[in-house]
Amino acid sequence: MAEYKHTLNLPKTKFPMKANLAQREPEQIKKWEAMKLYDKLREGNKGKPVFVLHDGPPYANGDIHLGHAVNKILKDIIVKSKTMAGFDAPYIPGWDCHGLPIELQVEKKVGKAGKKVSTSEFRAACRKYATKQVDGQRSNFKRLGVISDWDHPYLTMDFKFEADIVRALGKIIENGHLHKGAKPVHWCADCGSSLAEAEVEYEDKSSPAIDVRFAILDMEALKTRLEHIDHKHLCDDVSVVIWTTTPWTLPANQGVAVNPGLEYSIIKCSGAGEECLILASDLVEACTKRYEVNDIHVVGTCSGEALENLKLKHPFYDREVPVILGDHVTLEAGTGCVHTAPGHGQDDFIVGQKYHLKVDNPVGPNGVFVEGTPLFAGKHVFKANDDVLEVLRTNNALVHAEKLLHSYPHCWRHNTPIIFRATPQWFISMDQKNLRADAMKQIKETTWLPEWGQARIESMVEGRPEWCISRQRTWGAPIALFVHKQTEEIHPRTIELIEQVAQQIEQKGIDAWYELDVKALLGDEADDYYQVKDILDVWFDSGVTHYVVMNQREGVEDYPVADLYLEGSDQHRGWFQSSLLTSVAMTGTNAYKAALTHGFTVDEKGHKMSKSRGNGVEPTKLSNTLGADILRLWVAATDYRGEMTFSNEILKRIADAYRRIRNTSRYLLANLDDFDPEIHKVAIDKMVSLDRWAVARTHQLQQELEEAYSNYEFHKIYQKVHNFCAGDMGSFYLDVIKDRIYTMPTDSQARRSAQTAVFHIVEAMVRWFAPVLSFTAEEIWKFLPGERTESVFFSEWYAFPDIPKDEYGMDLDYWNQVIEVRDVVNKELEALRTAGEIGANLQAEVELYCGREIFDLLNRLEDELRFVFITSTTKLYIAGEPPKEAQHVTLSSNDEIWIAVSASEHQKCERCWHYREDVGANAQHETLCGRCIENIDGDGETRLYA
RNA sequence: GUGAAGAUAGCUCAAUGGGUAGAGCAACUGUCUGAUAAACAGUGUGUUUCGGGUUCAAGUCCCGUUCUUCUCGCCA
């Protein structure tokens, strides 16, 4: 039976069907390292136009999560696709290494800096810890197939980097943006440090909400203000009532603010004793209800303005505080009278300055009332709340107390409530040298993708407060300033001194600042100045990577502005902004030409992935089970502009799609087993028409893909490549050419023609998905016939041969029409099959009755039409009188066609499986058709079209 | 609570300046056994989150709603 099977050219390949990615990928990574792929790419691409995607540094702490993987894979896809598009695209990875999260981890191990260990020992431990974290994350990123300069990353803790951070600060000072202030800032008692806006998160907290009497001291003054009301209704005791959720700030109270434009009521309550309370008129009802007093009588009303400068008694200290006016007072909650502690609130501070109120801050850095604070010294503020309540009760100042659940700022690292605390801090001013305005201009000069990113960052920069860059911590770059002990002015030679300090830091790291020989630096002035011991906000570190890396590092040394920054959408508030601000402050222009953002990963319910929800996914674990290419394909397939949904079902679909792409590649390779392009490649104008179509169609798709790559629309690439594999290739072209490749003489032109097309297709295809399925592409690359470079990444998009106008007029449009007819024929064949009359299509014969146009169209294929339909016989007729059993179909061109299908009555050729009349006609080959005999014994058949 | 973005078949994505909602995958059914832990063929599927409005006509424009994500926030 297998007599003729050996005369066929069946597909053959060692390319494995089963991907086995988990095992193969690590081997490939080793090969990339061994061949020094990254270095060779830099060398080989020298002189090409440069494209720089500047890597935003992940924080060097903890294992990478899916979000990290998404970010790095997207960057990798872009860098690789740019490389294949003919750019020199260096990719220097970085890590953010200073900062509190690392300090906290190290504290757990060695104890607090300056207590159990010296600060320099502590810094050494931090450096060691960060190094380890970088190593861990780096191997995780490598495992994802990301190609980058892994051996030479930039670390913000490199001595050179640390020195350059200080230099960057110097540049910003030189440009006049530094500002020293003492306003209240977010303060974390656990950190013992100020926090930036970005380090604050709002969470629900239960606080005491209390109403407190501030008795009016000067009744005569009050009466003067209230001339229009009958004074006899006034009680002896009149109090302004404030409402607060932070009782612990009362010791620092310096006034009570009312809104000048609001109306206030003096109400008389009769209870245990008679008293009068002053409340905003609109809040009287809510307040008295809260106080549970029923018997009330409104004595009179007045504007808030009328109360200005009335003297009040502090509820428990022997202190007179004034009534002051402020527009920030609203009717949203409380009493309309606001307790004002300038040291503990931003509005309080601002309004306090107008009235020259004392900025009292009795709270130490650890959140404990300092020694000498009457009644509360030594108590932690949140614990002191109860004590304050007790004291208020004792002093009969407490009107009401309850619990309130409200949104309250928390430290993003400790997750503990933070406080406002007025301390001397360093700021980058947004306005003293027009930083805000200049940054706003630069935002307009920058491309934001998606577009709404611009509106987002504009609103942020427009409204943000000045940037508090000082931290009272240990592990970070120093604010290397000398401040005059008397004048509090920074040293006049600051810029010069900073450079000298930077040079020392470059040699010894940040410890150089603390071991500094101040005398040597300042000479006789040394005693007049103190050295600032605050460190810089870590956001400053990462914010100046544009200065430290771009324009300095090899590969990007002549390149001051990055083409692209690519981060999660949260970085509008983070790195995009810190980079923008520092860059504008230093140079006047932005550090990047375009900012591209991706969304966050969410689970199948659309909820974000987080540790606490337990719905997170470990990318490394995924790589080691399903393979990094599956993960990469998911990243590419997902429209990252919105949320990126990850679920088991999605992953399953992705794995299915992967198998389809892989298998298509495998089949293409299998048909090239005996093909050597040097010897067998058929010139494009000598190819069979259908093969030329296949090349043209592939070329057309490549153009679409190149555009999608340059627009960073990877999900389109996924869709198009997949559809190409399943549609154009699987269900049409590859199915049709089987007959030619399998049954025609090995070296026949028509067979080599098909192989030539397959060769062009796989050459193109392997490049298309190399940026995404890097491991698989590399694997295919090795199986491709012909001379090969070491890696697919040394090549650019495939250069197709110029396709001449088809001599038979069979262009893309032509074949699209044929395919449409093929589809309707297939439907009829399916009906025949369902009826049990045929099995395979080759068992069928087809008769088509059509109008002149379609007839001419199909007739151009002559007898080869049957190969396009994969049927044994196809006959064409001018419509006339179609038989009754013929199915009538209207094509999209409005042309009509009648289709009659039937099972063939002929014998099946053992070799080509067609059912032909001439099977058995030749006595020497009783089971073969004439075509097969010609193909094995004769010169072989001729094919022109399909 | 603010601002922004999104919500279209089970999944991933489409749908030019408003004109009968489309692909692929999955599912199901069948075929083949010369891509075989494959391949081919055929078959459905949607109150386009929901509710209004404008219009001859709305996934598309307007108003509102719900949910999600990012973001902001002195409830003192």
Side-chain angles (χ1 to χ4, degrees):
Chain A
M1 186 61 191
E3 194 178 344
Y4 295 102
K5 193 156 176 175
H6 71 277
T7 67
L8 295 168
N9 291 299
L10 295 178
K12 191 180 153 198
T13 180
K14 285 191 177 129
F15 184 85
M17 176 175 264
K18 195 165 183 310
N20 214 350
L21 294 173
Q23 274 188 0
R24 283 203 190 94
E25 287 174 347
E27 292 164 21
Q28 182 60 56
I29 291 165
K30 276 184 199 149
K31 284 180 196 160
W32 282 333
E33 287 183 353
M35 74 169 86
K36 297 196 179 304
L37 177 58
Y38 183 82
D39 294 341
K40 281 192 183 159
L41 281 170
R42 292 291 66 75
E43 229 167 89
N45 291 334
K46 241 176 220 164
K48 292 183 182 179
V50 177
F51 180 90
V52 180
L53 191 171
H54 177 47
D55 188 34
Y59 194 75
N61 188 29
D63 291 329
I64 65 168
H65 58 241
L66 194 58
H68 285 117
V70 164
N71 180 257
K72 274 288 193 294
I73 289 171
L74 284 174
K75 285 171 176 168
D76 188 50
I77 292 174
I78 289 175
V79 169
K80 282 172 177 164
S81 65
K82 286 291 176 188
T83 303
M84 306 209 71
F87 288 89
D88 179 18
Y91 185 23
I92 302 164
W95 272 274
D96 197 4
C97 303
H98 293 132
L100 189 65
I102 288 174
E103 286 197 41
L104 295 179
Q105 293 299 322
V106 172
E107 270 179 11
K108 281 185 202 161
K109 290 183 178 175
V110 304
K112 293 207 175 196
K115 302 232 167 102
K116 279 194 172 173
V117 290
S118 73
T119 50
S120 68
E121 283 171 320
F122 187 83
R123 278 189 286 270
C126 287
R127 191 174 290 281
K128 196 174 157 195
Y129 176 85
T131 304
K132 201 176 154 198
Q133 295 297 315
V134 168
D135 287 344
Q137 292 192 355
R138 171 166 41 200
S139 66
N140 287 160
F141 287 141
K142 276 189 192 175
R143 180 64 191 84
L144 298 173
V146 176
I147 301 297
S148 105
D149 199 357
W150 293 120
D151 292 336
H152 311 96
Y154 73 81
L155 306 184
T156 60
M157 65 177 179
D158 289 339
F159 291 175
K160 171 71 162 67
F161 201 114
E162 289 176 334
D164 280 345
I165 293 171
V166 172
R167 288 189 177 106
L169 178 65
K171 189 80 191 158
I172 288 170
I173 294 171
E174 191 179 354
N175 291 341
H177 298 289
L178 189 76
H179 164 241
K180 185 168 183 253
K183 65 174 189 174
V185 292
H186 291 289
W187 188 277
C188 173
D190 292 318
C191 298
S193 174
S194 57
L195 299 179
E197 303 296 321
E199 291 166 333
V200 175
E201 278 173 1
Y202 283 77
E203 284 177 45
D204 281 348
K205 173 184 184 300
S206 173
S207 301
I210 58 170
D211 295 78
V212 181
R213 286 183 188 87
F214 276 67
I216 289 175
L217 285 170
D218 188 348
M219 284 301 287
E220 289 311 311
L222 178 69
K223 284 174 183 168
T224 315
R225 309 290 178 91
L226 303 177
E227 278 180 331
H228 57 290
I229 65 170
D230 190 346
H231 293 168
K232 74 178 179 204
H233 294 301
L234 282 176
C235 315
D236 292 341
D237 295 328
V238 183
S239 303
V240 174
V241 185
I242 64 95
W243 180 80
T244 181
T245 55
T246 51
W248 62 268
T249 61
L250 284 168
N253 175 280
Q254 301 294 338
V256 171
V258 297
N259 189 314
L262 288 177
E263 186 196 79
Y264 287 81
S265 295
I266 297 94
I267 61 164
K268 187 149 116 186
C269 314
S270 312
E274 282 202 337
E275 65 168 332
C276 284
L277 302 177
I278 298 180
L279 301 163
S281 299
D282 287 346
L283 292 167
V284 166
E285 195 185 336
C287 289
T288 51
K289 196 172 167 194
R290 182 162 75 234
Y291 308 156
E292 294 171 2
V293 289
N294 302 319
D295 190 8
I296 57 165
H297 169 66
V298 178
V299 177
T301 64
C302 67
S303 72
E305 201 171 359
L307 301 170
E308 188 177 17
N309 287 326
L310 274 177
K311 289 198 174 66
L312 306 174
K313 187 194 173 310
H314 188 280
F316 47 78
Y317 285 156
D318 186 17
R319 182 189 297 164
E320 279 184 17
V321 300
V323 173
I324 58 177
L325 303 180
D327 291 326
H328 64 288
V329 179
T330 65
L331 296 171
E332 279 164 41
T335 60
C337 309
V338 175
H339 142 60
T340 301
H344 292 312
Q346 289 182 351
D347 278 334
D348 295 12
F349 178 79
I350 293 165
V351 71
Q353 282 195 313
K354 272 193 216 159
Y355 287 88
H356 305 291
L357 300 185
K358 191 178 164 198
V359 182
D360 190 16
N361 174 32
V363 179
N366 53 356
V368 172
F369 282 106
V370 295
E371 214 172 307
T373 308
L375 305 169
F376 309 110
K379 289 236 161 64
H380 188 278
V381 289
F382 292 119
K383 297 215 174 84
N385 274 338
D386 289 342
D387 300 279
V388 172
L389 258 68
E390 197 47 48
V391 170
L392 289 172
R393 275 195 201 97
T394 313
N395 287 280
N396 193 34
L398 189 65
V399 182
H400 180 77
E402 60 185 27
K403 287 279 177 191
L404 178 77
L405 191 69
H406 61 151
S407 176
Y408 188 87
H410 285 65
C411 170
W412 73 337
R413 289 302 166 196
H414 285 95
N415 212 25
T416 49
I418 61 180
I419 59 178
F420 271 96
R421 193 169 167 265
T423 50
Q425 301 288 348
W426 298 93
F427 299 89
I428 290 179
S429 165
M430 293 302 295
D431 300 304
Q432 73 188 23
K433 284 284 179 182
N434 286 326
L435 180 54
R436 191 190 311 275
D438 291 345
M440 291 298 281
K441 265 184 222 154
Q442 285 303 308
I443 289 172
K444 292 192 190 347
E445 300 292 315
T446 306
T447 305
W448 301 90
L449 300 168
E451 275 178 27
W452 50 260
Q454 178 170 343
R456 165 170 266 183
I457 195 158
E458 273 176 353
S459 73
M460 287 176 176
V461 171
E462 201 163 26
R464 67 160 294 152
E466 49 185 1
W467 180 5
C468 176
I469 54 168
S470 47
R471 297 289 181 280
Q472 292 66 49
R473 299 291 308 190
T474 312
W475 178 229
I479 297 182
L481 296 176
F482 297 96
V483 178
H484 196 275
K485 285 176 183 167
Q486 262 78 52
T487 65
E488 291 284 324
E489 294 289 327
I490 61 172
H491 197 287
R493 288 190 293 122
T494 287
I495 307 305
E496 187 190 323
L497 294 172
I498 276 185
E499 177 52 33
Q500 290 179 33
V501 171
Q503 282 173 17
Q504 295 197 33
I505 291 176
E506 202 163 327
Q507 298 306 315
K508 295 192 283 185
I510 50 178
D511 279 313
W513 175 246
Y514 305 95
E515 296 160 5
L516 196 66
D517 185 346
V518 181
K519 275 238 154 48
L521 206 60
L522 297 186
D524 294 342
E525 298 173 310
D527 288 341
D528 299 333
Y529 286 86
Y530 68 86
Q531 198 182 349
V532 173
K533 292 292 168 68
D534 288 356
I535 64 166
L536 279 160
D537 176 11
V538 270
W539 283 102
F540 190 90
D541 293 22
S542 59
V544 298
T545 58
H546 60 80
Y547 165 70
V548 185
V549 181
M550 298 300 298
N551 220 16
Q552 290 206 33
R553 274 288 300 268
E554 195 188 335
V556 295
E557 65 270 32
D558 302 322
Y559 222 75
V561 178
D563 291 290
L564 187 67
Y565 275 26
L566 165 53
E567 305 298 333
S569 58
D570 58 333
Q571 296 304 327
H572 285 115
R573 89 160 176 180
W575 194 54
F576 291 143
Q577 199 180 149
S578 62
S579 297
L580 169 76
L581 294 180
T582 55
S583 181
V584 173
M586 291 171 75
T587 70
T589 54
N590 196 7
Y592 45 94
K593 291 178 192 160
L596 176 61
T597 51
H598 60 257
F600 278 62
T601 55
V602 297
D603 65 17
E604 68 271 22
K605 288 176 194 139
H607 295 296
K608 69 169 170 185
M609 292 183 165
S610 64
K611 266 186 199 166
S612 54
R613 284 177 201 258
N615 58 356
V617 173
E618 283 178 50
T620 308
K621 203 168 157 189
L622 226 87
S623 298
N624 290 335
T625 50
L626 289 170
D629 265 0
I630 300 296
L631 183 57
R632 296 177 66 98
L633 190 58
W634 168 73
V635 172
T638 309
D639 184 354
Y640 58 80
R641 289 169 295 195
E643 286 110 67
M644 302 179 70
T645 315
F646 191 93
S647 70
N648 283 331
E649 179 175 3
I650 292 168
L651 205 59
K652 194 172 177 301
R653 294 291 96 82
I654 293 291
D656 287 342
Y658 172 83
R659 268 189 272 116
R660 180 61 188 223
I661 293 170
R662 182 183 180 89
N663 216 239
T664 303
S665 310
R666 177 174 182 268
Y667 185 64
L668 293 170
L669 293 174
N671 281 316
L672 294 173
D673 187 56
D674 66 334
F675 184 80
D676 181 343
E678 290 295 313
I679 305 164
H680 305 121
K681 196 148 84 179
V682 176
I684 192 89
D685 57 320
K686 298 279 191 316
M687 286 169 74
V688 170
S689 273
L690 179 65
D691 299 333
R692 223 159 19 222
W693 167 83
V695 176
R697 169 72 193 116
T698 309
H699 188 34
Q700 182 190 44
L701 180 62
Q702 174 158 308
Q703 286 165 343
E704 292 170 27
L705 297 177
E706 284 184 46
E707 196 191 334
Y709 266 123
S710 74
N711 292 333
Y712 311 128
E713 295 172 316
F714 310 126
H715 63 287
K716 286 189 181 170
I717 290 163
Y718 164 80
Q719 302 264 347
K720 281 171 192 276
V721 169
H722 189 258
N723 283 9
F724 180 76
C725 288
D728 297 303
M729 290 296 109
S731 96
F732 180 58
Y733 183 67
L734 296 181
D735 212 19
V736 170
I737 62 169
K738 275 177 192 170
D739 181 86
R740 239 189 309 146
I741 292 188
Y742 296 176
T743 70
M744 285 189 67
T746 306
D747 257 330
S748 60
Q749 172 139 320
R751 179 170 179 273
R752 292 303 188 195
S753 166
Q755 285 184 309
T756 302
V758 167
F759 179 72
H760 287 308
I761 292 165
V762 71
E763 280 270 30
M765 215 166 96
V766 69
R767 290 163 169 85
W768 296 345
F769 55 69
V772 177
L773 299 174
S774 300
F775 293 102
T776 305
E778 206 69 303
E779 196 182 344
I780 293 168
W781 190 249
K782 290 188 193 71
F783 282 86
L784 276 173
E787 285 290 308
R788 295 286 137 192
T789 51
E790 262 180 299
S791 164
V792 66
F793 295 109
F794 294 125
S795 45
E796 297 183 5
W797 302 132
Y798 188 58
F800 283 89
D802 287 330
I803 300 168
K805 200 169 182 316
D806 192 280
E807 58 194 298
Y808 311 110
M810 297 177 182
D811 55 10
L812 285 165
D813 272 350
Y814 174 84
W815 283 105
N816 282 341
Q817 292 180 73
V818 174
I819 288 168
E820 191 187 352
V821 177
R822 183 180 187 265
D823 287 342
V824 297
V825 168
N826 264 334
K827 283 194 176 67
E828 291 311 310
L829 292 172
E830 185 64 21
L832 203 62
R833 181 159 34 245
T834 309
E837 296 193 34
I838 58 164
N841 282 9
L842 278 176
Q843 213 176 328
E845 299 189 350
V846 177
E847 292 181 342
L848 297 175
Y849 300 82
C850 34
R852 171 58 71 180
E853 284 198 17
I854 296 295
F855 180 88
D856 286 344
L857 181 96
L858 298 174
N859 199 38
R860 267 189 262 170
L861 289 165
E862 300 175 17
D863 187 45
E864 294 180 29
L865 181 59
R866 67 187 172 106
F867 296 113
V868 177
F869 292 168
I870 319 184
T871 53
S872 283
T873 310
T874 305
K875 290 181 182 152
L876 278 179
Y877 303 95
I878 295 286
E881 291 263 322
K884 279 192 187 122
E885 68 272 20
Q887 273 297 322
H888 171 242
V889 180
T890 306
L891 300 173
S892 62
S893 58
N894 277 329
D895 287 308
E896 293 180 299
I897 189 165
W898 287 262
I899 305 163
V901 293
S902 58
S904 173
E905 290 168 0
H906 302 303
Q907 288 263 289
K908 178 182 180 181
C909 169
E910 182 199 328
R911 186 169 173 278
C912 73
W913 293 350
H914 283 64
Y915 290 68
R916 302 295 290 179
E917 196 172 4
D918 57 4
V919 174
N922 186 319
Q924 281 177 311
H925 303 287
E926 284 184 336
T927 57
L928 296 195
C929 68
R931 187 171 68 99
C932 279
I933 295 167
E934 174 70 19
N935 280 334
I936 57 174
D937 281 349
D939 296 336
E941 63 180 311
T942 304
R943 295 278 194 95
L944 297 176
Y945 318 112

